[in-house]
Amino acid sequence: MDKLMQDANRFVSDMVEGLVLAHPDLYAKVDGVNVVKRKEPLNGKVALVSGGGSGHEPAHAGFIGDGMLAAAVCGEVFTSPTPDMVLEGIKAADAGKGVLLVVKNYSGDVMNFDMAKELAELEDIEVETVVVKDDIAIKKEEDRRGVAGTVFVHKIAGAAAAEGKSLAEVKAIAEKVIGSVRSIGMALSPCYMPESGKPGFDLHEDEMEIGIGIHGEKGIDRKPVASVEAIVTELLDRLTAEVTDKKVAVMVNGMGGTPESELYITYKYVAEQLQAKGYDIVRPYVGNYMTSLEMHGFSITLLPVDDELVGYLDAKTNAIGF
Amino acid sequence: MDKLMQDANRFVSDMVEGLVLAHPDLYAKVDGVNVVKRKEPLNGKVALVSGGGSGHEPAHAGFIGDGMLAAAVCGEVFTSPTPDMVLEGIKAADAGKGVLLVVKNYSGDVMNFDMAKELAELEDIEVETVVVKDDIAIKKEEDRRGVAGTVFVHKIAGAAAAEGKSLAEVKAIAEKVIGSVRSIGMALSPCYMPESGKPGFDLHEDEMEIGIGIHGEKGIDRKPVASVEAIVTELLDRLTAEVTDKKVAVMVNGMGGTPESELYITYKYVAEQLQAKGYDIVRPYVGNYMTSLEMHGFSITLLPVDDELVGYLDAKTNAIGF
């Protein structure tokens, strides 16, 4: 698989440089590390920091902005950033009111963000952590991966922080989202690693993979490619078994190589089938939010919402990715 | 090539339905045709209408909104809409101050939009037309195709219309953009037609195509895949031979299947090389604006700007695609 790149070793650093060059008013790079921060420091607000391996753009640097993240730590592709990098992100973001780390549930991320938290506490920065695990492709709840639902955590907790809430309050609202947000994804084709050029999994032209991860992890079921209506039925059957509250925000998230036309075609069937099941889609989101390099596919995320969460979803942000 | 779709015959109508379902506050569908219009009618302003074949999303329906288009006519994939469809778009958009048709330079589009203009004039709607031809891959100026530069026409002429300018004035500002905007694109892989599943052109895994069109037209030069730096050098050599004004807006436009990471990597080299050539990038745009289904590649657009054009580029819009 060919890629637009100079050198696989500079994939992430070139991307971070390009991002900052393209949005000089929004972003600044932390010297010496692939950490992106707000150009303007926060004023007396709780700061949100997220990150992890790269390859999920616009996640996470694209969610930096008013009412979302204060910094994003950009590890190598599909590789957890080191604790030192996360510490740089924490220090760049902190505005004296504490930092909330939004971590996706992968062992490397959880360990490295935890170590960074300890290092930051030694420097007297107050840090709390939440771990997102919305991917229902994994049965055991504690093993579930963090995927596109993470974007709702960024948006909602970020809006609460922007409102001036305390670190404990922002953490509580993030936990409220994490407790109920659920996702599942599928792919028509895999992603390819920049370094090796190898696919995350082998998949025949006429096969699809249900329940994929966002790091090239293969799914839980492989079958012949079906119509989008049938695919949506299968994914929604799994999701609605877990999400029984009927007032929801919905995200149809592209995996990076999916044309926008296909995402909107997919959304039509998602909307029709959810309505037929008695769901009320209060806020729909369609686009690329949490991708996996050039993977062709999508995920569906359901988030039960009340007036408080809708208010935070609607709050203004200038983040380019939302 | 597999696609997320129900039936190739419903590709465009399903997409239009999904778009309107996902953005009910912004969009409405015109009954019986694949024409999308503003939900709220314009008030006493010149209306911009664009469109053409589908497969270029977010173009053109994604550019409907305050300060951009009033309606978009969505032909079948890579197929010009009929004059009747364009007429429906004109009638849906007109707010009594006249309609500017923004047409990309393809013979079918030019003919059908012209016929629609005549039909609308019979119904006493004042209509003017501009034809965008920014693709320098084609040598003869009158044969040049309209590609990503069209988006700058939508934005700038749309902002002028929103300011209350007359139809003649809006047309003049559109012509000013068209006179100087230039683009060229490349692809690492082709796009595939929904109906036939066939690629627009055959391309080996380790080859790339320079100067591609946005409808599966092959390029003007095929060669082994190069580093992004070398690709950017080649495209910019061609562009800067034509665009000699040094104060520019730049668009690095993804072709539909290009991950955002690669677009920002590309932008880094575009920015560095333009700067080295003495250009001042006043406004950079990086993202998917004018795509070609799932094609993996990008185009670069250069637009010389003065204070007037920068003001229109910066004017507020709620269009989801800009």
Side-chain angles (χ1 to χ4, degrees):
Chain A
M1 175 58 56
D2 301 318
K3 289 180 193 283
L4 297 165
M5 66 179 180
Q6 192 59 16
D7 178 334
N9 293 321
R10 282 164 57 184
F11 193 89
V12 176
S13 58
D14 276 0
M15 175 188 80
V16 165
E17 270 190 67
L19 197 67
V20 175
L21 281 168
H23 305 283
D25 299 338
L26 277 178
Y27 298 137
K29 187 180 172 302
V30 175
D31 282 345
V33 283
N34 288 326
V35 173
V36 184
K37 62 174 182 178
R38 290 169 58 96
K39 174 68 170 282
E40 298 295 329
L42 280 174
N43 248 338
K45 301 277 169 65
V46 170
L48 261 67
V49 174
S50 192
S54 292
H56 308 301
E57 294 66 31
H60 295 277
F63 301 122
I64 294 173
D66 297 338
M68 289 190 81
L69 303 182
V73 185
C74 307
E76 292 303 303
V77 172
F78 299 167
T79 303
S80 185
T82 62
D84 282 352
M85 287 174 69
V86 180
L87 177 63
E88 291 296 328
I90 293 171
K91 287 159 70 174
D94 180 44
K97 298 289 174 177
V99 173
L100 181 69
L101 299 178
V102 181
V103 185
K104 301 193 295 309
N105 192 32
Y106 302 96
S107 51
D109 281 350
V110 170
M111 189 175 69
N112 291 346
F113 277 76
D114 269 351
M115 284 176 64
K117 174 180 190 291
E118 287 172 29
L119 294 171
E121 284 165 350
L122 292 176
E123 302 192 26
D124 288 326
I125 303 177
E126 200 186 352
V127 180
E128 291 286 350
T129 302
V130 294
V131 178
V132 189
K133 30 190 164 185
D134 55 317
D135 187 356
I136 66 165
I138 309 294
K139 278 232 173 72
K140 252 172 96 180
E141 216 163 305
E142 67 263 36
D143 293 341
R144 285 181 170 179
R145 304 172 288 213
V147 290
T150 311
V151 179
F152 282 139
V153 180
H154 294 345
K155 181 66 183 72
I156 289 168
E163 230 185 46
K165 294 224 180 298
S166 71
L167 182 55
E169 289 167 329
V170 174
K171 181 179 180 180
I173 189 94
E175 295 283 18
K176 176 175 166 181
V177 175
I178 291 169
S180 63
V181 68
R182 298 290 183 273
S183 304
I184 189 166
M186 65 77 61
L188 294 173
S189 67
C191 56
Y192 294 80
M193 306 305 145
E195 182 93 39
S196 66
K198 295 259 163 61
F201 47 83
D202 288 307
L203 191 61
H204 261 270
E205 168 76 11
D206 49 2
E207 287 176 335
M208 64 179 183
E209 193 85 11
I210 302 286
I212 42 87
I214 57 172
H215 303 92
E217 306 99 325
K218 71 190 179 87
I220 51 174
D221 202 4
R222 173 168 303 187
K223 46 179 76 173
V225 171
S227 72
V228 69
E229 186 170 24
I231 297 170
V232 166
T233 300
E234 170 160 3
L235 299 187
L236 283 183
D237 279 351
R238 292 174 186 262
L239 275 174
T240 55
E242 297 216 11
V243 179
T244 51
D245 288 337
K246 291 294 199 285
K247 197 176 156 190
V248 291
V250 176
M251 179 178 284
V252 171
N253 168 59
M255 301 306 294
T258 317
E260 191 174 299
S261 46
E262 295 181 29
L263 293 179
Y264 279 107
I265 289 170
T266 302
Y267 180 70
K268 171 189 139 80
Y269 292 95
V270 169
E272 286 178 357
Q273 292 186 24
L274 279 176
Q275 203 168 10
K277 285 170 179 269
Y279 285 79
D280 178 16
I281 302 177
V282 180
R283 291 292 180 276
Y285 300 89
V286 181
N288 292 321
Y289 293 92
M290 178 71 74
T291 64
S292 183
L293 297 171
E294 69 277 87
M295 188 183 275
H296 188 170
F298 71 99
S299 61
I300 308 176
T301 298
L302 293 186
L303 171 68
V305 290
D306 54 18
D307 290 348
E308 181 189 33
L309 295 193
V310 171
Y312 288 137
L313 284 173
D314 290 351
K316 251 180 109 94
T317 179
N318 58 356
I320 59 166
F322 195 81
Chain B
M1 175 59 57
D2 302 318
K3 290 181 192 281
L4 297 165
M5 66 179 179
Q6 191 60 17
D7 178 332
N9 293 321
R10 282 164 58 183
F11 193 90
V12 176
S13 59
D14 277 0
M15 175 188 80
V16 165
E17 269 190 68
L19 196 67
V20 175
L21 282 167
H23 305 283
D25 299 339
L26 277 178
Y27 298 137
K29 187 180 171 303
V30 175
D31 282 345
V33 282
N34 289 326
V35 174
V36 184
K37 61 175 181 177
R38 289 169 58 94
K39 175 67 171 284
E40 298 296 328
L42 281 173
N43 248 337
K45 300 277 169 65
V46 170
L48 260 66
V49 174
S50 192
S54 292
H56 307 302
E57 293 67 31
H60 293 277
F63 301 122
I64 293 173
D66 297 338
M68 289 191 81
L69 303 181
V73 185
C74 308
E76 292 303 302
V77 172
F78 299 166
T79 303
S80 184
T82 62
D84 282 351
M85 287 175 68
V86 180
L87 177 63
E88 291 296 328
I90 294 171
K91 287 159 69 174
D94 180 45
K97 298 288 175 178
V99 173
L100 181 69
L101 299 178
V102 181
V103 186
K104 301 194 295 309
N105 192 31
Y106 301 96
S107 53
D109 280 350
V110 170
M111 189 176 70
N112 291 345
F113 277 75
D114 269 352
M115 286 176 63
K117 174 180 190 290
E118 287 172 28
L119 295 171
E121 284 165 350
L122 292 176
E123 302 192 28
D124 289 326
I125 304 177
E126 201 187 352
V127 181
E128 292 285 351
T129 302
V130 293
V131 179
V132 188
K133 29 189 164 186
D134 55 318
D135 187 356
I136 66 164
I138 310 294
K139 277 229 174 73
K140 253 173 96 180
E141 217 163 306
E142 66 263 37
D143 293 342
R144 286 181 170 179
R145 304 172 289 214
V147 290
T150 311
V151 179
F152 282 139
V153 180
H154 294 344
K155 181 66 183 73
I156 289 169
E163 230 185 48
K165 295 225 179 296
S166 71
L167 181 55
E169 289 167 329
V170 174
K171 181 180 179 179
I173 188 96
E175 296 284 15
K176 176 175 166 181
V177 175
I178 290 169
S180 63
V181 68
R182 297 290 183 272
S183 304
I184 188 165
M186 65 76 62
L188 294 173
S189 68
C191 56
Y192 294 80
M193 307 303 145
E195 182 92 38
S196 66
K198 296 259 163 61
F201 47 83
D202 288 308
L203 191 62
H204 262 270
E205 168 75 11
D206 48 3
E207 288 176 335
M208 64 178 183
E209 192 85 9
I210 301 287
I212 43 87
I214 59 172
H215 303 93
E217 305 100 324
K218 72 190 180 86
I220 52 173
D221 202 4
R222 173 168 302 187
K223 45 180 75 175
V225 170
S227 72
V228 69
E229 186 171 24
I231 298 169
V232 167
T233 299
E234 169 159 4
L235 299 187
L236 284 183
D237 279 351
R238 292 174 185 262
L239 276 173
T240 56
E242 298 217 10
V243 179
T244 51
D245 288 338
K246 291 293 200 285
K247 196 176 156 190
V248 290
V250 175
M251 179 178 284
V252 171
N253 168 59
M255 300 306 294
T258 317
E260 192 174 300
S261 46
E262 295 181 29
L263 292 179
Y264 279 108
I265 289 171
T266 303
Y267 181 70
K268 170 189 140 80
Y269 292 95
V270 169
E272 286 178 356
Q273 293 186 25
L274 279 177
Q275 204 168 9
K277 285 170 180 269
Y279 285 79
D280 177 16
I281 302 177
V282 180
R283 291 292 179 276
Y285 299 89
V286 180
N288 292 323
Y289 293 92
M290 179 71 75
T291 64
S292 183
L293 297 171
E294 68 278 86
M295 188 183 276
H296 188 170
F298 70 99
S299 60
I300 308 176
T301 298
L302 294 186
L303 171 68
V305 290
D306 54 19
D307 290 348
E308 181 189 33
L309 295 192
V310 171
Y312 288 138
L313 284 172
D314 289 351
K316 251 179 108 93
T317 181
N318 58 355
I320 58 165
F322 195 81

